[in-house]
């Protein structure tokens, strides 16, 4: 029974990281869209300052993408190793 639940737990790990990446990308896109919407009524130096804040937030959200993608790839490899290990257990 443990052999079956361990790969499933690893699938959940991969899915959770994937969902988190998708949420980060969605938030970043929403911030950009909302910034553009605000700019339709507000266009002065303070709007430009808001743009700098939004750019910083988007950059921070995006900075984890490569690391998290690498983690999911490594988890997938380790899951295959676990499945191979479990298939050889008596």
């Amino acid at each position: 029974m443990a052999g079956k639940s361990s790969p499933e737990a690893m699938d959940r790990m991969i899915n959770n990281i994937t969902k988190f990446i998708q949420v980060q990308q969605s938030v970043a896109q929403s911030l950009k869209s909302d910034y553009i919407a605000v700019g339709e009524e507000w266009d002065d130096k303070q709007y430009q300052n808001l743009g700098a804040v939004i750019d910083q937030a988007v950059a921070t959200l995006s900075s984890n993408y490569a690391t998290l993608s690498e983690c999911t790839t490594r988890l997938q490899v380790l899951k295959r190793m676990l499945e191979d290990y479990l298939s050889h257990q008596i």
Side-chain angles (χ1 to χ4, degrees):
M1 189 185 261
K4 184 172 180 151
S5 65
S6 295
E8 290 171 358
M10 292 191 78
D11 277 336
R12 288 190 300 273
M13 290 178 209
I14 293 164
N15 288 333
N16 285 331
I17 292 173
T18 301
K19 286 178 191 175
F20 185 67
I21 290 170
Q22 292 168 344
V23 167
Q24 284 184 310
Q25 290 173 333
S26 177
V27 168
Q29 187 58 47
S30 291
L31 288 171
K32 291 178 197 177
S33 295
D34 288 340
Y35 174 71
I36 290 168
V38 169
E40 292 176 9
E41 297 180 322
W42 185 26
D43 190 16
D44 65 5
K45 180 150 176 66
Q46 295 308 315
Y47 174 72
Q48 301 304 317
N49 289 338
L50 173 62
V53 172
I54 297 305
D55 288 345
Q56 181 181 10
V58 169
T60 300
L61 288 167
S62 300
S63 68
N64 292 325
Y65 176 77
T67 302
L68 291 171
S69 292
E70 182 181 322
C71 286
T72 54
T73 300
R74 290 171 51 203
L75 280 169
Q76 289 166 341
V77 169
L78 290 167
K79 179 187 169 220
R80 284 191 291 274
M81 294 172 121
L82 172 62
E83 289 170 333
D84 185 51
Y85 171 81
L86 292 173
S87 71
H88 291 92
Q89 295 296 307
I90 295 178

